Amino acid sequence: QTCECEGILSQYLLDRDEEWGLEESNLGFCGGVCGAGVRDPKEVLMNVKTFLEGNVNEILIIDFEVDESTLPDLRTALRSSNLTSHVFRPTSKYVSWPTMQSLIDDNTRLLLFAHGEGMTSCYANECEDGILYARDHFAVTATNDVESCEATLGGDTNIGFFQMKNYEDNKVKWPSENTARDLNSYATLEARLGNCKGQRLPNLLSVDFWDVGDVLDFVEAENKKRGGVTGGEYNEDVVFDGGGGGDDSEGNAADIEEVGNNVTAAERSGGSLRG
């Protein structure tokens, strides 16, 4: 989530990199409140770039929640980071999702989405900077609903992703590691997915504290059920896929599987399950 850190606080928390055109910017990445663990955009985006360049068989899906008036500065930061050179850009109005192998071969292994202030529906080949409007392409379950498989939101263009949110905030509206420990258990995740029987199966799993519980084991096992997926690298704050394991991985599943056909999991972003 982006946030705008104004005043004295931003002077201590943000680098405001002049080379990136952010010298007057208050853009930060945060969890809703600027002072609560805000991170500098250059640090975050360069970490993403480093990951992509060091793991050439990995594909990332990122959905930005754009807050306040931060979209112009977010675009500036993305361009300055040169991440846009790795972005998958559809060539037609309506997306025909490519295979993972084609994304790897073309080195367009970053799928960018965004929703929130300033983001509106756009034809896929006309979305600025390759940032697709998330509401056109995602169906999602309700926040704090940890039982049903009913989608509450979906666009009309080409719904390639169904995101199952499997987390609950505590009484003060913060993520709780204790709650996550139960929700991220193998038995709980298996039961939750079982509620989707007879309906469209999710291919994105959102959790809190991805490294607590059995999230990674569950995603790997579920992907194998859906067609056989080799292990991948899992990183917080990005959606991962099970199709590759870094530079030395064969990425077997990527040869044949379309994007969206795997289960992906990450912290309030998703884990990729085969469709």
Side-chain angles (χ1 to χ4, degrees), residues 4-218:
E4 190 169 27
C5 298
E6 297 180 313
I8 297 176
L9 186 61
S10 65
Q11 298 179 18
Y12 293 97
L13 299 177
L14 303 177
D15 287 341
R16 292 175 145 182
D17 193 280
E18 184 175 353
E19 291 184 358
W20 278 38
L22 300 175
E23 62 271 18
E24 301 296 329
S25 173
N26 293 318
L27 172 67
F29 287 105
C30 62
V33 180
C34 182
V38 67
R39 296 182 66 185
D40 185 77
K42 183 174 183 178
E43 176 190 13
V44 172
L45 296 180
M46 290 308 294
N47 283 344
V48 173
K49 185 178 180 183
T50 298
F51 176 83
L52 282 172
E53 293 177 348
N55 299 274
V56 297
N57 287 328
E58 297 296 336
I59 297 165
L60 302 183
I61 304 174
I62 299 178
D63 177 19
F64 293 109
E65 181 179 347
V66 182
D67 191 31
E68 300 178 353
S69 57
T70 57
L71 184 57
D73 284 346
L74 174 61
R75 294 189 184 280
T76 297
L78 283 168
R79 294 166 187 167
S80 298
S81 71
N82 201 34
L83 272 174
T84 50
S85 65
H86 296 293
V87 173
F88 166 68
R89 298 173 185 258
T91 57
S92 59
K93 289 183 177 181
Y94 305 107
V95 182
S96 177
W97 295 108
T99 63
M100 290 188 287
Q101 189 62 55
S102 67
L103 293 177
I104 292 170
D105 292 342
D106 295 339
N107 199 23
T108 53
R109 296 175 290 115
L110 180 59
L111 278 65
L112 288 184
F113 300 88
H115 65 280
E117 186 169 330
M119 287 299 302
T120 58
S121 180
C122 51
Y123 287 125
N125 62 338
E126 298 177 0
C127 295
E128 190 176 356
D129 298 312
I131 305 176
L132 304 176
Y133 182 53
R135 302 309 189 222
D136 286 341
H137 304 281
F138 282 75
V140 300
T141 61
T143 301
N144 290 321
D145 175 5
V146 294
E147 295 183 1
S148 80
C149 199
E150 180 179 352
T152 64
L153 179 66
D156 298 323
T157 306
N158 181 11
I159 303 301
F161 301 94
F162 180 16
Q163 179 181 2
M164 185 170 74
K165 299 180 179 180
N166 199 64
Y167 54 81
E168 285 183 315
D169 291 331
N170 60 18
K171 293 180 180 180
V172 294
K173 306 298 182 182
W174 282 94
S176 164
E177 186 169 347
N178 288 333
T179 300
R181 187 169 288 107
D182 176 58
L183 291 176
N184 295 353
S185 72
Y186 199 104
T188 300
L189 292 169
E190 189 172 44
R192 175 78 189 277
L193 196 62
N195 292 336
C196 301
K197 187 175 182 179
Q199 305 177 57
R200 178 176 177 175
L201 290 176
N203 53 9
L204 295 173
L205 171 64
S206 295
V207 301
D208 279 338
F209 302 100
W210 62 267
D211 54 348
V212 172
D214 307 309
V215 176
L216 305 188
D217 289 340
F218 173 78

Side-chain angles (χ1 to χ4, degrees), residues 240-260:
F240 61 78
D241 176 83
D247 293 349
D248 298 325
S249 171
E250 294 291 337
N252 297 327
D255 293 335
I256 58 174
E257 294 301 329
E258 293 183 358
V259 171

